[in-house]
């Protein structure tokens, strides 16, 4: 049978411990008022919208990699791939050269 949780004393070694209510009444905690948020410049909003409209892809680099893969000259380094997979699985930031 399982005992219920409550004010029933529990024994720890040879000492008896009982649950008691808070000795002091609880009081509401006052939080500070957050500062008024500053306005964002319209230029910043325009830049953010422009950047969000297209993915951050370097098309020239992608074309270069595709060309190297097609011609068979793309370097495949198993040690680097393994290091980066390990870093990804362990949430590490691996910047070491293999």
């Amino acid at each position: 049978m399982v005992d219920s949780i409550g004010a029933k004393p529990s024994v720890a070694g040879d000492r008896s411990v009982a649950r008691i209510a808070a000795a002091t009444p609880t009081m509401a905690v006052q939080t500070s008022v957050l500062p008024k948020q500053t306005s964002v410049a319209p230029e910043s909003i325009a830049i953010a919208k422009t950047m969000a409209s297209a993915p951050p892809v370097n098309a020239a680099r992608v074309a270069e990699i595709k060309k190297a893969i097609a011609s068979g000259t793309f370097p495949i380094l198993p040690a680097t791939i393994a290091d980066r997979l390990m870093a990804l699985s362990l949430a590490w930031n691996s910047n070491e050269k293999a």
Side-chain angles (χ1 to χ4, degrees):
M1 177 182 253
V2 178
D3 292 333
S4 63
I5 299 174
K8 181 177 160 185
S10 59
V11 179
D14 60 345
R15 298 183 182 173
S16 178
V17 179
R19 295 177 190 248
I20 58 171
T24 59
T26 58
M27 297 170 47
V29 177
Q30 292 182 348
T31 58
S32 62
V33 178
L34 296 174
K36 188 185 283 187
Q37 199 167 20
T38 59
S39 62
V40 178
E43 298 87 22
S44 298
I45 294 172
I47 291 171
K49 285 182 180 179
T50 303
M51 291 175 70
S53 67
V57 177
N58 183 345
R61 178 72 176 138
V62 171
E64 181 182 330
I65 292 171
K66 284 183 178 181
K67 183 179 175 184
I69 291 171
S71 67
T73 59
F74 187 77
I76 296 177
L77 305 171
T80 302
I81 294 169
D83 286 345
R84 292 196 180 165
L85 284 173
M86 292 286 292
L88 180 65
S89 70
L90 299 174
W92 289 341
N93 184 10
S94 174
N95 292 323
E96 296 180 14
K97 300 280 183 188

